Amino acid sequence: MKKILLVITLGLFFSCNSSAQKKETKTQNEFPVSKTDAEWKKELSSEAYYVLRQEGTERPFSSELNNEKRKGTFHCVACNTPLFKSEHKFDSGTGWPSFDRIIEGNVAFGSDNKLGYSRDEEHCATCGGHLGHVFNDGPRNTTGKRHCINGDALVFVPAE
């Protein structure tokens, strides 16, 4: 009887590591801009590499772009894809650049469960770089969305 219980317990233990619980990962070839990890490391700053390629998060209030108020567009620092327009930027008080909408077609979405609950993750649709997350606590007078984006993932291009 003890052997049967041991076999059942071991079977349950190993079945907990099912494919449904494994994080879905996209391959580099699923994005129009595809580079090796070594190429990304060489081209990006260590901060941008950490955020974009390792899905890191910069410290709050550390990005100069958090206070950027000029007219222009925020692009992906890795591939220069335009992601957010300055007229959709707002001060969320969170310490990260925040926007109430994206430039359609240039941002891809996925799920992030690293904190023990599911969050909507945002990636550059061109290179797959991790940008941040989107939440439903944005301005109610617009979209109600808060795209909370790492400044290290962005470069600001002023309007001409």
Side-chain angles (χ1 to χ4, degrees):
M1 185 68 172
K2 288 182 183 180
K3 288 182 182 180
I4 293 173
L5 285 174
L6 179 63
V7 169
I8 291 172
T9 303
L10 287 173
L12 287 172
F13 175 77
F14 286 109
S15 70
C16 289
N17 194 16
S18 71
S19 62
Q21 293 178 342
K22 292 180 182 172
K23 181 182 174 192
E24 289 183 31
T25 56
K26 294 183 180 181
T27 63
Q28 288 290 329
N29 297 333
E30 291 186 43
F31 299 101
V33 172
S34 177
K35 298 181 182 183
T36 66
D37 192 55
E39 289 172 321
W40 285 123
K41 270 187 178 176
K42 185 177 178 182
E43 292 180 20
L44 298 171
S45 70
S46 59
E47 296 85 2
Y49 177 82
Y50 171 67
V51 168
L52 289 164
R53 308 319 307 172
Q54 297 182 314
E55 298 180 350
T57 302
E58 68 194 16
R59 287 184 295 91
F61 302 101
S62 65
S63 174
E64 292 179 15
L65 295 180
N66 199 37
N67 297 317
E68 181 59 65
K69 307 237 188 280
R70 297 176 290 169
K71 289 188 181 211
T73 309
F74 294 84
H75 292 224
C76 175
V77 73
C79 68
N80 204 34
T81 297
L83 303 169
F84 304 95
K85 294 181 179 179
S86 62
E87 63 252 32
H88 301 133
K89 186 174 183 287
F90 67 96
D91 183 5
S92 66
T94 61
W96 292 279
S98 297
F99 305 86
D100 70 356
R101 66 195 78 182
I102 62 172
I103 295 178
E104 288 297 327
N106 292 354
V107 176
F109 298 89
S111 292
D112 172 5
N113 297 301
K114 288 185 210 115
L115 297 180
Y117 59 93
S118 185
R119 297 184 293 171
D120 293 326
E121 186 175 18
E122 296 187 58
H123 295 272
C124 173
T126 303
C127 70
H130 169 78
L131 303 172
H133 298 86
V134 61
F135 303 96
N136 291 318
D137 60 0
R140 295 287 170 219
N141 61 340
T142 61
T143 63
K145 301 288 183 189
R146 174 175 54 96
H147 298 267
C148 188
I149 307 300
N150 289 284
D152 287 333
L154 304 173
V155 62
F156 179 72
V157 178
E160 295 180 11

